[in-house]
């Protein structure tokens, strides 16, 4: 499966298929984004632009995890703790905080939620605001570019309201400095003007709760991290927990799915609810067209196979990563940049999206020298792992 991308080539079109094919081979072919603009701005005004479309493969997993939440995703978010499956210890701590704050008539402590993408950090922030009966304002670290942006968000809050900052590790250092007194003393000092005319205007803020979410807790500065009253780390879900999520989501979208079908979707979701819901949406479409809107295990298997998601939750890019590591670099060790170039992907995407799952499942490992393929990776490709002296392979 993949998006469609438009390409252009210049030449004189005679109306024949043979000419189109020969022109395409002979001329420079390149992708374009705006076909109409390409035609208007052509450097060959007498030669029409030939447009054609090809299907381009996509990376399903990274697209699902990197994309902003869709209305479909938001509609499936549980509104209360008793509907939230998984992360039991985290939910118990947060529920206790809510009850304690309500009994004191106080506001919640500042909370930091960390963990891989797609595990429910944003959902928990909204559940906390709902449990406290307060409003929540949602923003992200990269969008707060100036102190005035932060001041506008904070001054619009009322007592007890929640300010949720996603990707908080991407806040600029200057913005962090403004955030420290706001979190500790509920005050904000805004600098007006410059040079000798510069002056500070203190603003008193209502007591609020800051909930930060990050996929890279190690990139947070120590002063910011220590100002959170509670630090919660979210881990990957088990197949049984994801099965509950799939069954609940299927009921919300009107899909009839049995336990075996739900488990099939859950087992291929890489321990991530966002991926599970995305796969479920595809299974719903497949079942609606080919299975009378009823998803059994076989139907789910056929749907996900059509999407190139195998029984281990691998998509095309995961398989290409293992193939490159084993065939091109003889099982490693190899640096992340070389590995990324070899498969045409970004090093950050490999580190944040693909590697955590492959390491967790025992397919690869990180060493000071680079990435190394483990025996499970060779078995995945139907190969026998070589014996290496002084390594975990034995020998």
């Amino acid at each position: 499966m993949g998006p469609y991308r438009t390409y252009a080539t210049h030449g004189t079109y005679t109306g024949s298929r043979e000419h189109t094919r020969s022109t395409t081979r002979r001329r420079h072919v390149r992708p374009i984004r705006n076909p109409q603009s390409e035609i208007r701005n052509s450097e060959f005004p007498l030669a029409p632009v030939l447009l054609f479309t090809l299907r381009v493969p996509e990376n399903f997993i990274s697209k699902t995890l990197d994309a902003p939440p869709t209305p479909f995703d938001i509609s499936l978010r549980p509104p209360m703790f008793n509907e939230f499956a998984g992360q039991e210890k985290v939910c118990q701590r947060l529920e206790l905080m809510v009850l304690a704050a309500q009994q004191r008539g106080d506001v919640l402590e500042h909370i930091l939620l960390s963990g891989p993408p797609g595990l429910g950090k944003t959902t928990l922030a909204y559940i906390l605001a709902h449990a406290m009966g307060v409003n929540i304002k949602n923003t992200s670290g990269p969008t707060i570019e100036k102190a005035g942006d932060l001041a506008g968000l904070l001054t619009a809050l009322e007592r007890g309201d929640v300010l949720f900052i996603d990707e908080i590790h991407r806040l600029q250092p200057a913005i962090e400095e403004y955030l420290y007194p706001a979190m500790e003393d509920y005050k904000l000092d805004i600098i007006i003007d410059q040079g000798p005319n510069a002056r500070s205007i203190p603003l008193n803020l209502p007591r609020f709760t800051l909930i930060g979410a990050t996929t890279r807790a190690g990139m947070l500065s120590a002063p910011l991290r220590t100002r959170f009253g509670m630090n919660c780390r979210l881990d990957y879900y088990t197949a049984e927990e994801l099965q509950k999520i799939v069954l609940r989501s299927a009921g919300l979208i009107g899909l009839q799915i049995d336990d075996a079908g739900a488990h099939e979707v859950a087992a291929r979701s890489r321990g991530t609810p966002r991926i599970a819901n995305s796969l479920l949406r595809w299974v719903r479409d497949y079942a609606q067209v080919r299975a009378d809107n009823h998803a059994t295990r076989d139907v789910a298997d056929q749907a996900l196979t059509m999407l190139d998601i195998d029984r281990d939750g691998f998509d095309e890019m995961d398989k290409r990563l293992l193939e490159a590591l084993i065939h091109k670099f003889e099982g490693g060790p190899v640096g992340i940049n070389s590995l990324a170039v070899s498969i045409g992907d970004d090093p950050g995407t490999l580190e944040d999206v693909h590697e955590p799952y492959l390491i967790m499942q025992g397919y690869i490992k990180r060493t000071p020298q680079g990435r190394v393929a483990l025996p499970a990776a060779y078995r995945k490709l139907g190969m026998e792992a070589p014996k290496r002296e002084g390594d975990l392979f034995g020998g």
Side-chain angles (χ1 to χ4, degrees):
M1 301 298 295
Y4 288 89
R5 197 173 291 172
T6 303
Y7 290 79
T9 181
H10 294 281
T12 304
Y13 179 57
T14 62
S16 67
R17 294 182 180 178
E18 297 300 328
H19 181 87
T20 301
R21 285 197 293 268
S22 63
T23 303
T24 301
R25 287 194 298 267
R26 188 169 62 247
R27 300 290 186 179
H28 175 62
V29 180
R30 55 192 169 81
I32 62 174
R33 293 184 177 180
N34 190 334
Q36 298 302 325
S37 175
E38 180 75 20
I39 294 173
R40 289 196 303 269
N41 301 327
S42 172
E43 58 181 321
F44 305 101
L46 299 179
V49 179
L50 305 179
L51 302 178
F52 58 96
T53 302
L54 295 175
R55 178 183 289 181
V56 181
E58 67 184 10
N59 184 345
F60 178 84
I61 300 299
S62 63
K63 177 185 175 183
T64 300
L65 294 178
D66 294 341
T70 64
F72 176 83
D73 298 323
I74 295 174
S75 68
L76 299 181
R77 287 176 178 168
M80 297 177 291
F81 281 112
N82 58 9
E83 295 186 27
F84 189 93
Q87 312 294 341
E88 291 185 6
K89 292 184 178 180
V90 171
C91 289
Q92 289 174 2
R93 296 173 194 155
L94 296 178
E95 280 189 277
L96 183 63
M97 288 183 65
V98 169
L99 292 175
Q102 289 175 337
Q103 290 175 4
R104 294 193 308 267
D106 202 354
V107 302
L108 280 175
E109 291 276 352
H110 303 305
I111 300 170
L112 178 64
L113 303 173
S114 62
L119 298 188
K121 296 183 290 293
T122 303
T123 299
L124 282 175
Y126 277 85
I127 289 176
L128 285 166
H130 181 269
M132 290 295 295
V134 297
N135 299 317
I136 181 171
K137 291 189 178 296
N138 190 346
T139 187
S140 64
T143 61
I144 306 177
E145 299 179 348
K146 300 177 294 184
D149 299 335
L150 179 62
L153 290 169
L154 293 175
T155 54
L157 298 174
E158 299 179 358
R159 175 181 168 80
D161 282 356
V162 171
L163 174 62
F164 175 66
I165 303 181
D166 197 10
E167 298 297 312
I168 195 171
H169 64 272
R170 296 176 63 184
L171 279 176
Q172 299 180 18
I175 302 299
E176 280 192 23
E177 295 293 336
Y178 280 102
L179 199 55
Y180 297 156
M183 295 176 67
E184 285 188 324
D185 305 322
Y186 302 101
K187 293 182 180 179
L188 190 64
D189 293 324
I190 299 297
I191 306 298
I192 304 297
D193 219 330
Q194 297 178 349
N197 297 324
R199 61 188 187 277
S200 175
I201 299 180
L203 298 176
N204 291 323
L205 302 173
R207 291 177 62 84
F208 69 96
T209 298
L210 174 64
I211 300 180
T214 176
T215 56
R216 294 188 172 185
M219 292 182 64
L220 283 177
S221 64
L224 179 59
R225 190 186 307 113
T226 55
R227 282 173 167 80
F228 287 97
M230 174 66 73
N231 189 338
C232 297
R233 164 79 184 182
L234 275 64
D235 294 320
Y236 288 104
Y237 291 63
T238 65
E240 290 71 23
E241 292 169 342
L242 286 176
Q243 183 179 3
K244 295 178 182 178
I245 294 173
V246 170
L247 289 171
R248 176 185 177 275
S249 299
L252 293 175
I253 64 177
L255 171 65
Q256 302 176 36
I257 187 169
D258 57 24
D259 290 343
H263 188 272
E264 188 69 21
V265 175
R268 304 192 190 195
S269 300
R270 305 166 70 103
T272 307
R274 186 182 300 169
I275 296 177
N277 284 329
S278 183
L279 294 180
L280 181 65
R281 177 167 54 180
W282 171 254
V283 171
R284 176 198 62 181
D285 293 346
Y286 184 94
Q288 177 182 329
V289 174
R290 298 191 177 181
D292 196 25
N293 202 41
H294 184 75
T296 62
R297 182 183 181 279
D298 290 338
V299 171
D301 175 60
Q302 295 167 10
L304 298 178
T305 300
M306 188 176 183
L307 202 59
D308 287 332
I309 304 294
D310 69 12
R311 293 186 179 276
D312 295 319
F314 278 45
D315 69 352
E316 180 186 356
M317 193 58 66
D318 296 310
K319 300 169 189 174
R320 288 174 58 187
L321 190 154
L322 293 184
E323 290 171 353
L325 180 57
I326 292 174
H327 296 302
K328 296 181 180 179
F329 300 102
E330 299 179 347
V334 59
I336 187 65
N337 291 326
S338 298
L339 191 58
V341 170
S342 70
I343 63 175
D345 208 339
D346 178 67
T349 301
L350 294 189
E351 285 188 308
D352 296 339
V353 177
H354 298 283
E355 274 197 348
Y357 180 73
L358 296 177
I359 292 174
M360 181 179 67
Q361 297 298 320
Y363 290 98
I364 65 174
K365 69 174 180 177
R366 292 176 181 172
T367 69
Q369 294 78 28
R371 278 62 179 172
V372 176
L374 294 178
Y378 288 88
R379 291 194 296 270
K380 178 70 177 176
L381 300 183
M383 302 171 59
E384 183 178 353
K387 294 183 178 181
R388 300 185 179 183
E389 187 174 351
D391 201 353
L392 293 178
F393 293 118

